[in-house]
Amino acid sequence: MTTVRSLCAALALVFVATVGFTVLANATMTEEVRTGDDFDPLYASFAGLAMGQIAAICFGAMAVAAEYRTRGIGLSLAAVPRRRVLYTAKLTVIGVSALLVGLATSAVCFFTAQSLLGAEGVGVLSPGAPRAIVGGGLYLALTTVFAAALTVLLRSGPLVMGILIPFLIMVSFVFGGPGETGFLEFLPDHAGQQILLQNPSGTLGPWGGLGVQVLWVAVAVRAGLAGVLRRDA
């Protein structure tokens, strides 16, 4: 019961952190920033995404790590001996839960941010807006599944959080956001966030960038499955 409450709290934190920091960023944004040549009113809707993806990583890692920490994985395998089925079902439940919360989070962030931006904002039917609203939910869900699959592989939630959070946050902080080109645009966060930009730059484009993020997640999911099939409980 405690684990269920913790997971629900982590999912709620995805919503609260993303929306809260998005509101804060847009409410305190200066007129100079809003009217700048490089200002992206669509991407401004997701100013709190960095905090939200930290919560998403924590949820994905915690949803898997608890079974290994408490040795509950043995009971799960006794109930569902087909490991591939168990693994697929677990990641599906985690991914769908994250997607539902992510879509709600993305929609609230968009409408709230645009109301705060006023004349500099965009409407829900503006070019790229529907794509970004859906893409925000997909990005958070993929990030969650990425963390969950790596936790299955490494069998340690703290280790996965210690790897992914600095990787996804610090790289963008040091080298820039999703508008950067070169090798950076092929990193999972930079690639996935292309879908949130009004005018994506680089070679990938919005859906190509999301496709690259899907490939990163697919590799992690395949590696996690290999670990499940080959190792003892």
Side-chain angles (χ1 to χ4, degrees):
M1 186 64 70
T2 300
T3 300
V4 173
R5 285 199 297 265
S6 298
L7 293 178
C8 289
L11 268 179
L13 187 59
V14 173
F15 180 88
V16 173
T18 310
V19 174
F21 279 91
T22 295
V23 170
L24 180 63
N26 284 275
T28 58
M29 192 177 296
T30 65
E31 187 68 22
E32 181 181 0
V33 172
R34 293 183 183 186
T35 57
D37 293 336
D38 59 347
F39 177 64
D40 187 333
L42 193 54
Y43 190 63
S45 301
F46 307 96
L49 190 66
M51 296 299 104
Q53 71 180 0
I54 290 176
I57 290 168
C58 292
F59 168 68
M62 289 168 54
V64 172
E67 277 195 322
Y68 291 102
R69 186 178 65 252
T70 62
R71 299 294 182 182
I73 186 65
L75 296 176
S76 297
L77 288 173
V80 186
R82 297 173 63 186
R83 297 188 177 202
R84 188 185 299 270
V85 173
L86 177 64
Y87 177 73
T88 301
K90 184 183 296 293
L91 289 192
T92 299
V93 170
I94 292 171
V96 170
S97 300
L99 178 60
L100 294 176
V101 173
L103 289 172
T105 300
S106 184
V108 172
C109 282
F110 175 82
F111 288 109
T112 304
Q114 298 311 315
S115 67
L116 291 171
L117 289 175
E120 286 77 30
V122 296
V124 67
L125 296 180
S126 297
R131 179 233 313 148
I133 294 172
V134 174
L138 291 172
Y139 177 84
L140 287 171
L142 287 169
T143 300
T144 302
V145 174
F146 192 33
L150 287 179
T151 303
V152 172
L153 177 64
L154 301 178
R155 296 191 175 192
S156 172
L159 177 59
V160 169
M161 287 185 275
I163 293 172
L164 282 187
I165 291 175
F167 177 64
L168 296 181
I169 302 300
M170 294 305 296
V171 171
S172 292
F173 179 78
V174 173
F175 294 105
E180 299 298 322
T181 57
F183 81 94
L184 290 173
E185 64 179 316
F186 293 94
L187 296 180
D189 57 329
H190 285 67
Q193 290 181 35
Q194 287 287 322
I195 202 168
L196 307 178
L197 300 174
Q198 190 170 40
N199 298 299
S201 59
T203 59
L204 295 176
W207 296 109
L210 190 71
V212 169
Q213 187 187 17
V214 169
L215 287 177
W216 277 87
V217 175
V219 170
V221 168
R222 184 65 185 85
L225 176 61
V228 167
L229 296 177
R230 295 176 183 175
R231 294 184 306 205
D232 295 333

